[in-house]
Amino acid sequence: MTCAVFGFAEQVPASERLAHALGVTHRLVSVRAFPDGESLVQVEPAPTTALLYRSLDHPNDKLVEILLAASALRDNGATRVILIAPYLAYMRQDAAFQPGEAVSQQVIGKILVDHFDAVLTLDPHLHRTHSLGAIMPGIEAVSMSAAPLLAAALDASDDPLLVGPDAEARQWVERIASRMRLEFVLGRKRRDGDRQVRLEIPDADRASGRRVVLVDDLISSGATLVAAARLLRDARAAKVEAMATHCLAGLADLQQLSDAGISSISATDSVVSPVGTLPIATFLADEIRRLGWDG
Ligand code: R5P
């Protein structure tokens, strides 16, 4: 055995699917919390290459635990430890927007460079920084787009209108639209707070009488899609659905999306979520093999 996938309890089905797609062993990383909240991390003996699988939603404890796991894997046989983080956290804050703010993207990037030989992720939330390599110099840092997976999952039989809620969604909606030969429009967004957005969709009238699919990289609070769905319902869309790479929204936020008129949401299984049902394992495995990280 030269390679194994090491997964954490909360995402075992997904990490097992990756191990299966690669034809390698799966091992569980065990984590125990001390009464004061510290984590004790333990791994089984590791092969030469350890693929450590964990999405970093709710990232603070998870980040500490992956660093401890990486160290334990090296102490127990791995000479190469690769982080497979389908959802990578702390990528939004790429500048100090207010005096005194930490630039978390750079801080977390440097920590990952110090502990991993390579990193693979899906649609990191990079907006002004255009490459993961710029944040993680000196290691292989690979970012994949889930657009082909979302396109493959989209029912295009009734010629839906695709809507990207803001300019940043262009890279997903345009790619899916061109692959499926569908029409798309983009909204304009201004964010006033974590859960407050102001949105316009200049071409919303094209939604009238049609099924509309909102496409975004991330559903976090859901505020963006709630605002978009309201505009599209006002524009007399026959049906509003949504697709995203990552869905971090909790149950209450998902309810708000439903109340806003979004009849179905599909997202990848990058993060544990009731709507995260599109499996990424084969997609990741193909890339891992192409990169030669599977042995
Ligand atoms: C924005 O830049 C992203 O592409 C998403 O639109 C955004 O992160 C969604 O956040 P929320 O669901 O909290 O509106």
Side-chain angles (χ1 to χ4, degrees):
M1 179 179 68
T2 57
C3 175
V5 173
F6 289 79
F8 290 79
E10 78 277 359
Q11 251 190 317
V12 161
S15 54
E16 279 182 342
R17 281 196 283 276
L18 178 62
H20 182 72
L22 286 168
V24 305
T25 309
H26 180 272
R27 300 257 185 264
L28 184 65
V29 176
S30 105
V31 179
R32 180 168 90 74
F34 288 109
D36 67 352
E38 280 188 12
S39 299
L40 177 66
V41 168
Q42 189 177 13
V43 300
E44 293 179 34
T48 320
T49 300
L51 302 175
L52 187 64
Y53 187 102
R54 192 173 222 188
S55 267
L56 297 173
D57 50 309
H58 305 291
N60 295 353
D61 287 351
K62 290 182 183 175
L63 267 167
V64 172
E65 289 162 5
I66 62 166
L67 303 183
L68 297 175
S71 167
L73 289 165
R74 289 188 206 283
D75 290 345
N76 286 277
T79 54
R80 186 162 69 151
V81 182
I82 297 174
L83 176 64
I84 311 295
Y87 176 73
L88 191 59
Y90 281 117
M91 293 294 112
R92 304 176 221 217
Q93 181 85 9
D94 53 14
F97 300 104
Q98 302 293 332
E101 285 182 350
V103 184
S104 55
Q105 186 188 82
Q106 283 175 16
V107 176
I108 300 303
K110 182 167 186 325
I111 291 172
L112 297 180
V113 166
D114 289 344
H115 290 81
F116 293 96
D117 296 283
V119 172
L120 177 65
T121 190
L122 207 55
D123 290 332
H125 207 69
L126 305 174
H127 287 316
R128 287 153 293 260
T129 310
H130 289 292
S131 121
L132 205 58
I135 306 163
M136 300 179 197
I139 65 168
E140 278 183 279
V142 180
S143 137
M144 300 175 73
S145 169
L149 285 178
L150 299 180
L154 177 69
D155 169 12
S157 55
D158 56 355
D159 197 27
L161 175 70
L162 303 189
V163 177
D166 53 32
E168 284 146 349
R170 176 183 278 274
Q171 57 182 297
W172 293 276
V173 75
E174 189 170 53
R175 214 165 144 188
I176 297 169
S178 100
R179 208 177 164 113
M180 310 294 289
R181 298 177 191 281
L182 295 171
E183 186 187 1
F184 76 94
V185 300
L186 285 174
R188 290 194 208 116
K189 180 167 82 179
R190 190 172 138 183
R191 186 173 283 280
D192 295 328
D194 289 342
R195 289 171 179 273
Q196 286 87 40
V197 298
R198 273 188 266 169
L199 206 73
E200 319 167 39
I201 303 179
D203 296 311
D205 55 331
R206 294 202 212 163
S208 179
R210 294 173 71 180
R211 175 172 154 250
V212 176
V213 183
L214 285 157
V215 178
D216 210 348
D217 58 334
L218 178 67
I219 307 172
S220 184
S221 68
T224 300
L225 294 192
V226 165
R230 287 186 182 140
L231 292 173
L232 292 163
R233 299 306 306 217
D234 289 349
R236 303 188 173 277
K239 196 171 187 189
V240 181
E241 299 173 2
M243 299 192 111
T245 305
H246 309 291
C247 181
L248 306 182
L251 291 180
D253 294 324
L254 289 173
Q255 185 59 49
Q256 290 209 4
L257 290 161
S258 166
D259 295 345
I262 299 181
S263 58
S264 81
I265 301 176
S266 37
T268 75
D269 64 355
S270 64
V271 171
V272 177
S273 158
V275 301
T277 54
L278 307 174
I280 54 176
T282 307
F283 191 57
L284 295 181
D286 288 346
E287 183 68 358
I288 290 167
R289 270 195 220 96
R290 190 190 69 77
L291 291 161
W293 292 356
D294 58 331

Coordinates of all heavy atoms in Angstrom, one line a residue, residues 5-11 15 27-32 37-43 50-76 78 80-91 107-121 136 139:
V5 N -6.5 7.1 1.9 CA -7.3 8.3 2.2 C -7.6 8.3 3.7 O -8.0 7.2 4.2 CB -8.6 8.3 1.4 CG1 -9.5 9.5 1.9 CG2 -8.3 8.5 -0.1
F6 N -7.3 9.4 4.4 CA -7.6 9.5 5.8 C -8.8 10.5 5.9 O -8.6 11.6 5.5 CB -6.4 10.0 6.6 CG -5.3 8.9 6.7 CD1 -4.5 8.6 5.7 CD2 -5.2 8.1 7.9 CE1 -3.5 7.6 5.7 CE2 -4.2 7.1 8.0 CZ -3.4 6.9 6.9
G7 N -9.9 10.0 6.5 CA -11.0 10.9 6.6 C -11.4 11.1 8.1 O -11.0 10.4 9.0
F8 N -12.3 12.1 8.3 CA -12.8 12.4 9.6 C -14.2 12.0 9.7 O -15.0 11.9 8.7 CB -12.6 13.9 9.9 CG -11.2 14.3 10.1 CD1 -10.4 14.6 9.0 CD2 -10.7 14.6 11.3 CE1 -9.1 15.0 9.1 CE2 -9.4 15.0 11.5 CZ -8.6 15.2 10.4
A9 N -14.7 11.7 11.0 CA -16.0 11.1 11.2 C -17.1 11.8 10.5 O -18.0 11.2 10.0 CB -16.3 11.1 12.7
E10 N -17.1 13.2 10.5 CA -18.3 13.9 10.0 C -18.5 13.7 8.5 O -19.6 14.0 8.0 CB -18.2 15.4 10.4 CG -17.3 16.3 9.5 CD -15.9 16.2 9.9 OE1 -15.5 15.6 10.9 OE2 -15.0 16.9 9.2
Q11 N -17.5 13.2 7.8 CA -17.6 13.2 6.3 C -17.2 11.8 5.8 O -16.7 11.7 4.7 CB -16.7 14.2 5.7 CG -17.5 15.4 5.1 CD -16.6 16.3 4.3 OE1 -15.5 16.7 4.7 NE2 -17.1 16.7 3.1
S15 N -15.4 10.7 2.2 CA -13.9 10.3 2.1 C -13.8 8.8 1.6 O -12.9 8.4 0.9 CB -13.2 10.6 3.4 OG -13.8 10.0 4.5
R27 N -8.9 5.1 5.9 CA -8.6 5.0 7.3 C -9.3 6.2 8.0 O -9.3 7.3 7.5 CB -7.1 5.1 7.6 CG -6.3 4.1 7.0 CD -5.9 3.0 8.1 NE -5.1 2.0 7.5 CZ -5.5 0.8 7.1 NH1 -6.7 0.5 7.1 NH2 -4.6 -0.1 6.6
L28 N -9.8 6.0 9.2 CA -10.5 7.1 9.9 C -9.5 7.7 10.9 O -8.7 7.1 11.5 CB -11.6 6.4 10.8 CG -12.5 7.4 11.6 CD1 -13.3 8.3 10.6 CD2 -13.4 6.7 12.5
V29 N -9.5 9.1 10.8 CA -8.6 9.8 11.8 C -9.5 9.9 13.1 O -10.7 10.4 13.0 CB -8.3 11.2 11.3 CG1 -7.6 12.0 12.3 CG2 -7.5 11.1 10.0
S30 N -8.9 9.5 14.2 CA -9.8 9.6 15.4 C -9.5 10.9 16.1 O -8.4 11.3 16.2 CB -9.6 8.3 16.2 OG -8.9 8.6 17.4
V31 N -10.6 11.5 16.6 CA -10.5 12.8 17.3 C -11.2 12.7 18.6 O -12.4 12.3 18.6 CB -11.1 14.0 16.4 CG1 -11.0 15.3 17.2 CG2 -10.4 14.1 15.1
R32 N -10.6 13.1 19.7 CA -11.3 13.1 21.0 C -11.1 14.5 21.5 O -10.0 15.1 21.4 CB -10.6 12.1 21.9 CG -11.3 12.0 23.3 CD -10.8 10.8 24.0 NE -9.6 11.0 24.8 CZ -9.6 11.7 25.9 NH1 -10.7 12.3 26.4 NH2 -8.5 11.8 26.6
G37 N -11.8 21.5 25.6 CA -12.0 21.8 24.2 C -10.8 21.5 23.3 O -10.9 21.5 22.1
E38 N -9.7 21.2 23.9 CA -8.5 20.7 23.1 C -8.9 19.4 22.4 O -9.6 18.6 22.9 CB -7.3 20.5 23.9 CG -6.5 21.8 24.3 CD -5.2 21.4 25.0 OE1 -4.8 20.3 25.0 OE2 -4.7 22.4 25.6
S39 N -8.2 19.2 21.2 CA -8.5 18.0 20.5 C -7.3 17.0 20.6 O -6.1 17.5 20.4 CB -8.7 18.3 19.0 OG -9.8 19.1 18.8
L40 N -7.5 15.8 20.8 CA -6.5 14.8 20.7 C -6.7 14.0 19.4 O -7.8 13.5 19.2 CB -6.6 13.8 21.9 CG -5.5 12.7 21.8 CD1 -4.1 13.2 21.9 CD2 -5.8 11.6 22.9
V41 N -5.7 14.0 18.5 CA -5.9 13.4 17.2 C -5.0 12.2 17.1 O -3.9 12.2 17.6 CB -5.5 14.4 16.1 CG1 -5.4 13.8 14.7 CG2 -6.5 15.6 16.0
Q42 N -5.5 11.1 16.5 CA -4.7 9.9 16.4 C -4.9 9.2 15.1 O -6.1 9.2 14.6 CB -5.2 8.9 17.5 CG -4.3 7.7 17.7 CD -4.8 6.8 18.9 OE1 -5.9 7.0 19.4 NE2 -4.0 5.9 19.2
V43 N -3.8 8.8 14.5 CA -3.9 8.1 13.2 C -3.4 6.7 13.2 O -2.5 6.4 14.1 CB -3.2 8.9 12.1 CG1 -3.8 10.3 11.9 CG2 -1.7 9.0 12.3
A50 N -0.2 10.1 2.1 CA -1.5 10.2 2.9 C -2.3 11.3 2.3 O -1.9 12.4 2.2 CB -1.2 10.4 4.4
L51 N -3.5 11.0 1.9 CA -4.5 12.0 1.4 C -5.4 12.3 2.5 O -6.2 11.4 2.9 CB -5.2 11.5 0.2 CG -4.4 11.0 -1.0 CD1 -5.3 10.4 -2.1 CD2 -3.6 12.1 -1.6
L52 N -5.3 13.4 3.1 CA -6.1 13.8 4.3 C -7.3 14.6 3.8 O -7.2 15.6 3.2 CB -5.2 14.7 5.2 CG -5.9 15.0 6.6 CD1 -6.1 13.7 7.4 CD2 -5.0 16.0 7.3
Y53 N -8.5 14.0 4.0 CA -9.7 14.5 3.4 C -10.5 15.2 4.5 O -11.0 14.6 5.4 CB -10.5 13.3 2.8 CG -11.7 13.7 2.0 CD1 -11.7 13.7 0.6 CD2 -12.9 14.1 2.7 CE1 -12.9 14.0 -0.1 CE2 -14.1 14.4 1.9 CZ -14.0 14.4 0.5 OH -15.1 14.8 -0.2
R54 N -10.7 16.5 4.3 CA -11.6 17.2 5.2 C -12.0 18.5 4.6 O -11.2 19.3 4.2 CB -11.0 17.5 6.5 CG -12.0 18.0 7.6 CD -11.4 18.1 8.9 NE -12.3 17.6 9.9 CZ -12.2 17.7 11.2 NH1 -11.1 18.2 11.7 NH2 -13.1 17.2 12.1
S55 N -13.3 18.8 4.5 CA -13.8 20.1 4.2 C -13.7 21.0 5.4 O -14.0 20.6 6.5 CB -15.3 20.0 3.6 OG -15.2 19.9 2.2
L56 N -13.4 22.3 5.1 CA -13.2 23.2 6.3 C -14.3 24.2 6.5 O -14.1 25.4 6.8 CB -11.8 23.9 6.1 CG -10.7 22.9 6.0 CD1 -9.4 23.6 5.7 CD2 -10.5 22.2 7.4
D57 N -15.6 23.7 6.3 CA -16.7 24.5 6.8 C -16.6 24.5 8.3 O -16.1 23.5 8.9 CB -18.0 23.9 6.3 CG -18.1 22.4 6.6 OD1 -17.2 21.7 6.2 OD2 -19.1 22.0 7.2
H58 N -17.2 25.4 9.0 CA -17.0 25.5 10.5 C -15.5 25.3 10.8 O -15.2 24.3 11.5 CB -17.9 24.6 11.2 CG -19.3 24.8 10.9 ND1 -20.1 25.9 11.2 CD2 -20.2 24.0 10.1 CE1 -21.3 25.8 10.7 NE2 -21.4 24.7 10.0
P59 N -14.6 26.1 10.4 CA -13.2 25.7 10.2 C -12.3 25.7 11.4 O -11.3 25.1 11.4 CB -12.7 26.8 9.2 CG -13.5 28.0 9.5 CD -14.9 27.5 9.8
N60 N -12.7 26.4 12.5 CA -11.6 26.7 13.5 C -11.1 25.4 14.1 O -9.9 25.2 14.1 CB -12.1 27.7 14.5 CG -12.3 29.1 13.8 OD1 -12.0 29.3 12.7 ND2 -12.9 30.0 14.6
D61 N -11.9 24.6 14.7 CA -11.4 23.3 15.3 C -10.9 22.4 14.2 O -9.9 21.7 14.4 CB -12.6 22.5 16.0 CG -12.9 23.2 17.3 OD1 -12.2 24.2 17.7 OD2 -13.9 22.8 17.9
K62 N -11.5 22.4 13.0 CA -11.1 21.5 12.0 C -9.7 21.8 11.5 O -8.9 20.9 11.2 CB -12.1 21.5 10.8 CG -13.4 20.9 11.1 CD -14.4 20.9 9.9 CE -15.7 20.4 10.3 NZ -16.7 20.5 9.2
L63 N -9.4 23.1 11.4 CA -8.1 23.5 11.0 C -7.0 23.0 11.9 O -6.0 22.4 11.5 CB -8.0 25.0 10.9 CG -8.3 25.7 9.6 CD1 -8.4 27.2 9.7 CD2 -7.2 25.3 8.5
V64 N -7.2 23.2 13.2 CA -6.2 22.7 14.2 C -6.1 21.2 14.1 O -4.9 20.6 14.1 CB -6.6 23.1 15.6 CG1 -5.7 22.4 16.7 CG2 -6.6 24.6 15.8
E65 N -7.2 20.5 13.9 CA -7.1 19.0 13.9 C -6.4 18.5 12.6 O -5.7 17.5 12.7 CB -8.6 18.4 14.0 CG -9.1 18.6 15.4 CD -10.6 18.5 15.5 OE1 -11.3 18.2 14.5 OE2 -11.1 18.8 16.6
I66 N -6.6 19.2 11.5 CA -5.9 18.7 10.3 C -4.4 18.9 10.4 O -3.6 18.1 9.9 CB -6.4 19.3 8.9 CG1 -6.2 20.8 8.9 CG2 -7.8 18.8 8.6 CD1 -6.4 21.3 7.5
L67 N -4.0 20.0 11.1 CA -2.5 20.2 11.3 C -2.0 19.1 12.2 O -0.9 18.6 12.0 CB -2.3 21.6 11.9 CG -2.8 22.8 11.1 CD1 -2.4 24.1 11.8 CD2 -2.3 22.8 9.7
L68 N -2.7 18.8 13.3 CA -2.3 17.7 14.2 C -2.2 16.4 13.4 O -1.3 15.6 13.6 CB -3.2 17.6 15.4 CG -3.3 18.8 16.3 CD1 -4.3 18.7 17.4 CD2 -1.9 19.1 16.9
A69 N -3.2 16.1 12.6 CA -3.3 14.9 11.8 C -2.1 14.8 10.9 O -1.5 13.8 10.7 CB -4.6 14.8 11.1
A70 N -1.8 15.9 10.2 CA -0.7 15.9 9.2 C 0.6 15.6 10.0 O 1.4 14.8 9.5 CB -0.5 17.3 8.6
S71 N 0.8 16.1 11.1 CA 2.0 15.8 11.9 C 2.0 14.3 12.3 O 3.1 13.7 12.2 CB 2.1 16.8 13.1 OG 3.0 16.3 14.0
A72 N 0.9 13.9 12.8 CA 0.8 12.4 13.2 C 1.1 11.5 12.0 O 1.7 10.5 12.2 CB -0.5 12.2 13.9
L73 N 0.6 11.9 10.9 CA 0.8 11.0 9.7 C 2.2 10.9 9.3 O 2.8 9.9 9.0 CB -0.1 11.6 8.5 CG -1.6 11.4 8.6 CD1 -2.3 12.2 7.6 CD2 -1.9 9.9 8.5
R74 N 2.9 12.1 9.4 CA 4.4 12.0 9.1 C 5.1 11.2 10.2 O 6.0 10.5 9.9 CB 5.0 13.5 9.1 CG 4.5 14.2 7.9 CD 5.2 15.6 7.7 NE 4.4 16.5 7.0 CZ 4.3 16.5 5.7 NH1 4.9 15.7 4.9 NH2 3.5 17.5 5.1
D75 N 4.7 11.4 11.4 CA 5.4 10.6 12.5 C 5.1 9.1 12.4 O 5.8 8.3 13.0 CB 4.9 11.0 13.9 CG 5.3 12.4 14.2 OD1 6.3 12.9 13.6 OD2 4.7 13.0 15.2
N76 N 4.1 8.8 11.6 CA 3.7 7.3 11.5 C 3.8 6.8 10.1 O 3.0 5.9 9.7 CB 2.2 7.2 12.0 CG 2.2 7.3 13.5 OD1 2.5 6.3 14.2 ND2 2.0 8.5 14.0
A78 N 4.1 8.5 6.8 CA 3.9 9.2 5.5 C 5.1 10.1 5.2 O 5.6 10.8 6.1 CB 2.6 10.1 5.6
R80 N 4.6 12.0 2.3 CA 3.9 13.0 1.6 C 2.5 13.1 2.2 O 1.8 12.1 2.2 CB 3.9 12.6 0.1 CG 3.3 13.7 -0.8 CD 3.7 13.4 -2.2 NE 3.1 12.2 -2.8 CZ 2.8 12.1 -4.1 NH1 3.1 13.0 -5.0 NH2 2.3 11.0 -4.6
V81 N 2.1 14.3 2.6 CA 0.8 14.5 3.2 C 0.1 15.5 2.4 O 0.5 16.7 2.3 CB 0.8 14.9 4.7 CG1 -0.6 15.0 5.2 CG2 1.6 13.8 5.5
I82 N -1.0 15.1 1.7 CA -1.7 16.0 0.8 C -3.1 16.3 1.4 O -3.8 15.4 1.8 CB -1.8 15.3 -0.6 CG1 -0.4 15.1 -1.2 CG2 -2.7 16.2 -1.5 CD1 -0.4 14.4 -2.5
L83 N -3.5 17.6 1.4 CA -4.8 17.9 1.9 C -5.8 18.0 0.8 O -5.6 18.7 -0.2 CB -4.7 19.3 2.6 CG -6.1 19.9 3.1 CD1 -6.6 19.0 4.2 CD2 -5.9 21.3 3.6
I84 N -6.8 17.2 0.9 CA -8.0 17.2 0.0 C -9.1 17.9 0.8 O -9.7 17.3 1.6 CB -8.4 15.8 -0.5 CG1 -7.2 14.9 -0.9 CG2 -9.5 15.9 -1.5 CD1 -6.5 15.4 -2.1
A85 N -9.3 19.2 0.5 CA -10.3 20.0 1.2 C -11.3 20.5 0.2 O -11.1 21.6 -0.4 CB -9.6 21.2 1.9
P86 N -12.3 19.7 0.0 CA -13.3 20.1 -1.1 C -13.8 21.5 -0.9 O -13.9 22.3 -1.8 CB -14.4 19.1 -1.0 CG -13.7 17.8 -0.5 CD -12.6 18.3 0.5
Y87 N -14.1 21.9 0.4 CA -14.4 23.3 0.7 C -13.2 23.8 1.6 O -12.9 23.3 2.6 CB -15.7 23.4 1.5 CG -16.0 24.9 1.8 CD1 -16.3 25.8 0.9 CD2 -15.8 25.3 3.2 CE1 -16.5 27.1 1.2 CE2 -15.9 26.6 3.5 CZ -16.3 27.5 2.5 OH -16.4 28.9 2.8
L88 N -12.6 24.9 1.1 CA -11.5 25.5 1.8 C -11.9 26.8 2.4 O -12.5 27.6 1.8 CB -10.4 25.7 0.7 CG -9.0 26.1 1.2 CD1 -8.4 25.1 2.1 CD2 -8.1 26.3 0.0
A89 N -11.6 26.9 3.7 CA -12.1 28.1 4.4 C -11.1 29.3 4.4 O -10.0 29.1 4.0 CB -12.4 27.7 5.9
Y90 N -11.6 30.4 4.9 CA -10.8 31.6 5.1 C -10.2 32.2 3.8 O -9.2 32.8 3.8 CB -9.6 31.3 6.1 CG -10.1 31.3 7.5 CD1 -10.0 30.2 8.3 CD2 -10.6 32.5 8.1 CE1 -10.5 30.2 9.6 CE2 -11.0 32.5 9.4 CZ -11.0 31.3 10.2 OH -11.4 31.4 11.5
M91 N -10.8 31.9 2.7 CA -10.3 32.4 1.4 C -10.9 33.7 1.0 O -10.4 34.4 0.1 CB -10.5 31.4 0.3 CG -9.7 30.1 0.5 SD -7.9 30.3 0.3 CE -7.4 30.0 2.0
V107 N -2.8 34.3 5.9 CA -2.4 33.6 7.1 C -2.6 32.1 7.0 O -1.8 31.2 7.2 CB -3.1 34.1 8.4 CG1 -2.8 33.4 9.6 CG2 -2.9 35.6 8.5
I108 N -3.8 31.7 6.6 CA -4.2 30.3 6.5 C -3.4 29.7 5.3 O -3.0 28.5 5.4 CB -5.7 30.2 6.3 CG1 -6.5 30.8 7.5 CG2 -6.1 28.7 6.1 CD1 -6.1 30.2 8.8
G109 N -3.2 30.4 4.2 CA -2.4 29.8 3.1 C -1.0 29.5 3.6 O -0.5 28.4 3.3
K110 N -0.4 30.3 4.4 CA 1.0 30.0 4.9 C 1.0 28.8 5.8 O 1.9 28.0 5.7 CB 1.5 31.3 5.6 CG 2.9 31.1 6.1 CD 3.5 32.4 6.5 CE 5.0 32.2 6.8 NZ 5.4 31.0 7.4
I111 N 0.0 28.7 6.7 CA -0.1 27.6 7.6 C -0.2 26.3 6.8 O 0.5 25.3 7.1 CB -1.3 27.7 8.6 CG1 -1.0 28.9 9.6 CG2 -1.5 26.5 9.3 CD1 -2.2 29.3 10.4
L112 N -1.0 26.3 5.8 CA -1.2 25.1 5.0 C 0.1 24.7 4.2 O 0.5 23.5 4.2 CB -2.4 25.2 4.0 CG -3.8 25.4 4.7 CD1 -4.9 25.5 3.7 CD2 -4.1 24.2 5.7
V113 N 0.8 25.7 3.7 CA 2.1 25.5 3.0 C 3.1 24.8 4.0 O 3.8 24.0 3.6 CB 2.6 26.8 2.5 CG1 4.1 26.7 2.1 CG2 1.8 27.3 1.3
D114 N 3.0 25.3 5.3 CA 4.0 24.8 6.2 C 3.7 23.3 6.6 O 4.5 22.7 7.2 CB 4.0 25.6 7.5 CG 4.6 27.0 7.3 OD1 5.3 27.2 6.2 OD2 4.4 27.9 8.1
H115 N 2.4 22.9 6.4 CA 2.1 21.5 6.9 C 1.8 20.5 5.9 O 1.7 19.3 6.2 CB 0.9 21.6 7.9 CG 1.3 22.3 9.2 ND1 1.3 23.7 9.3 CD2 1.6 21.8 10.4 CE1 1.7 24.0 10.5 NE2 1.9 22.9 11.2
F116 N 1.5 20.9 4.6 CA 1.1 20.0 3.6 C 2.0 20.1 2.4 O 2.6 21.1 2.1 CB -0.3 20.2 3.2 CG -1.3 19.9 4.3 CD1 -1.8 20.9 5.1 CD2 -1.7 18.6 4.5 CE1 -2.6 20.7 6.2 CE2 -2.6 18.3 5.6 CZ -3.0 19.4 6.4
D117 N 2.2 18.9 1.7 CA 3.0 18.9 0.5 C 2.2 19.4 -0.7 O 2.8 19.8 -1.7 CB 3.5 17.5 0.2 CG 4.4 17.0 1.3 OD1 5.5 17.5 1.4 OD2 3.9 16.3 2.2
A118 N 0.9 19.3 -0.6 CA 0.0 19.8 -1.7 C -1.4 19.9 -1.2 O -1.7 19.3 -0.1 CB 0.0 18.7 -2.9
V119 N -2.2 20.7 -1.9 CA -3.6 21.0 -1.5 C -4.4 20.9 -2.8 O -4.1 21.4 -3.8 CB -3.7 22.4 -0.9 CG1 -5.2 22.7 -0.6 CG2 -3.0 22.5 0.4
L120 N -5.6 20.2 -2.6 CA -6.6 20.2 -3.7 C -7.9 20.6 -3.2 O -8.3 20.2 -2.1 CB -6.7 18.7 -4.2 CG -7.8 18.5 -5.3 CD1 -7.4 19.2 -6.6 CD2 -7.9 17.0 -5.6
T121 N -8.6 21.5 -3.9 CA -9.9 22.0 -3.5 C -10.7 22.3 -4.7 O -10.3 22.2 -5.8 CB -9.7 23.3 -2.6 OG1 -11.0 23.6 -2.0 CG2 -9.2 24.5 -3.4
M136 N -0.4 30.0 -1.8 CA 0.3 28.8 -1.3 C 1.6 28.6 -2.1 O 1.7 27.5 -2.7 CB -0.6 27.6 -1.2 CG -1.8 27.8 -0.4 SD -2.9 26.3 -0.4 CE -4.4 27.0 0.2
I139 N 4.2 24.9 -2.8 CA 3.6 23.6 -2.9 C 2.6 23.5 -4.1 O 2.3 24.6 -4.6 CB 2.8 23.2 -1.6 CG1 1.6 24.1 -1.4 CG2 3.7 23.2 -0.4 CD1 0.7 23.6 -0.3

